[in-house]
C-alpha cells in the first residue's frame, strides 16, 4: 500500500510538470529572467523554428536560418500557470518590434511563443487579442504563435550565461539591467534565493 501511494504521488507530481518555449530577444537575457521564477525548475537556451538540423550559434546569428533564439523551460503548473509565465514574457521585452529587441536586430531575435498544446495556443492568442484591443502598447503586437518545431539546445557555453559571465560587457550593459527591472516588477514571483 505504501509503494502504491508513493507511485501515485510521483505520477501526480509528474502530471503537473509542463514545458514552455519563448523567443523574446537574446536568449541570455530571457534565460537569466526565467531562471529566477518560482515554479520554474529548468531553463535551456536553444534554437527553434528553422529547417536545417543542428544549427550553430554562428549560423543562427546570420539571420538566414529561420531559427529564433529561444528558451525552453520546465515548470510546475501547480506553482505557476502558463498565463502567469506569459505575463512575465510580455512585460520583459517589447512584443511590438518586429525582429528586434533593443540593439539586437534580426529574425533570430523575434518575439514568438512556441506552443506545446492547444491550450497554450489558445491562451497566447487570446492574450494577444486582448492586448491589441486594450491598446496597452502604442503599437500592435507582432508576437508570432507557432507550434513547436525543430528545437535544438544551444551550445554549452550559452547555458546559464549570465550566471557564469556576470562581468562580460553585454551582461553588464544589457542583461543585468533587464534582470534588475524584472526583479523589481515581479518580486512576488521570485524564487527565495533571488527575493
Amino acid at each position: 500500500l505504501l509503494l502504491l501511494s508513493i507511485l501515485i504521488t510521483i505520477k501526480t507530481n509528474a502530471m503537473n510538470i509542463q514545458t514552455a518555449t519563448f523567443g523574446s530577444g537574446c536568449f541570455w537575457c530571457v534565460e537569466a529572467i526565467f531562471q529566477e521564477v518560482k515554479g520554474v525548475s529548468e531553463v535551456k537556451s536553444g534554437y527553434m523554428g528553422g529547417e536545417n538540423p543542428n544549427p550553430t550559434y554562428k549560423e543562427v546569428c546570420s539571420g538566414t536560418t529561420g531559427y529564433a533564439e529561444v528558451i525552453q523551460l520546465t515548470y510546475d503548473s501547480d506553482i505557476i500557470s502558463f498565463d502567469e509565465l506569459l505575463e512575465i514574457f510580455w512585460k520583459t521585452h517589447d512584443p511590438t518590434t518586429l525582429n528586434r529587441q533593443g540593439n539586437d536586430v534580426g529574425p533570430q531575435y523575434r518575439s514568438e511563443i512556441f506552443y506545446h498544446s492547444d491550450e497554450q495556443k489558445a491562451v497566447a492568442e487570446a492574450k494577444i487579442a486582448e492586448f491589441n484591443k486594450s491598446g496597452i502598447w502604442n503599437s500592435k503586437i507582432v508576437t508570432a504563435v507557432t507550434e513547436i518545431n525543430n528545437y535544438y539546445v544551444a551550445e554549452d557555453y550559452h547555458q546559464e550565461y549570465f550566471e557564469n559571465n556576470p562581468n562580460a560587457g553585454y551582461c553588464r550593459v544589457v542583461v543585468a539591467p533587464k534582470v534588475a527591472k524584472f526583479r523589481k516588477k515581479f518580486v512576488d514571483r521570485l524564487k527565495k534565493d533571488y527575493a
Side-chain angles (χ1 to χ4, degrees):
L1 189 59
L2 179 60
L3 180 58
L4 180 59
S5 177
I6 291 170
L7 289 174
I8 289 170
T9 302
I10 291 169
K11 186 174 181 183
T12 302
N13 290 341
M15 290 173 59
N16 301 325
I17 302 303
Q18 305 289 324
T19 304
T21 305
F22 303 126
S24 54
C26 173
F27 51 25
W28 297 340
C29 295
V30 187
E31 179 194 61
I33 287 168
F34 280 97
Q35 283 179 326
E36 297 188 3
V37 175
K38 194 181 339 181
V40 172
S41 55
E42 183 178 48
V43 182
K44 288 285 188 185
S45 291
Y47 314 112
M48 187 174 279
E51 295 292 323
N52 296 333
N54 302 310
T56 65
Y57 182 65
K58 184 177 179 181
E59 291 168 344
V60 172
C61 283
S62 73
T64 62
T65 64
Y67 282 97
E69 288 190 16
V70 300
I71 56 100
Q72 190 165 87
L73 60 89
T74 305
Y75 67 100
D76 185 335
S77 60
D78 282 344
I79 298 172
I80 189 164
S81 69
F82 183 70
D83 194 43
E84 291 167 321
L85 290 170
L86 280 181
E87 181 185 2
I88 295 167
F89 166 81
W90 297 121
K91 293 181 178 175
T92 55
H93 83 293
D94 182 351
T96 68
T97 55
L98 185 63
N99 299 332
R100 177 185 195 131
Q101 289 300 311
N103 291 327
D104 294 324
V105 180
Q108 68 272 27
Y109 300 115
R110 65 189 180 265
S111 177
E112 192 157 7
I113 298 163
F114 290 92
Y115 63 88
H116 292 253
S117 67
D118 290 340
E119 181 184 359
Q120 285 186 354
K121 178 183 181 186
V123 169
E125 289 176 341
K127 280 294 181 190
I128 291 171
E130 177 188 322
F131 288 148
N132 281 334
K133 187 176 180 181
S134 73
I136 194 168
W137 280 279
N138 293 332
S139 301
K140 196 170 184 174
I141 290 174
V142 297
T143 304
V145 179
T146 309
E147 188 172 10
I148 58 164
N149 63 81
N150 294 343
Y151 172 71
Y152 293 93
V153 176
E155 296 86 343
D156 286 347
Y157 70 93
H158 292 297
Q159 308 307 323
E160 300 178 353
Y161 191 84
F162 180 56
E163 187 176 313
N164 294 327
N165 303 280
N167 295 315
Y170 188 89
C171 290
R172 285 195 331 268
V173 174
V174 179
V175 184
K178 267 190 128 169
V179 170
K181 185 177 176 183
F182 158 73
R183 287 175 179 168
K184 187 175 180 182
K185 188 173 206 107
F186 290 97
V187 68
D188 61 322
R189 295 272 175 234
L190 294 175
K191 290 177 182 170
K192 190 176 181 180
D193 296 348
Y194 301 100

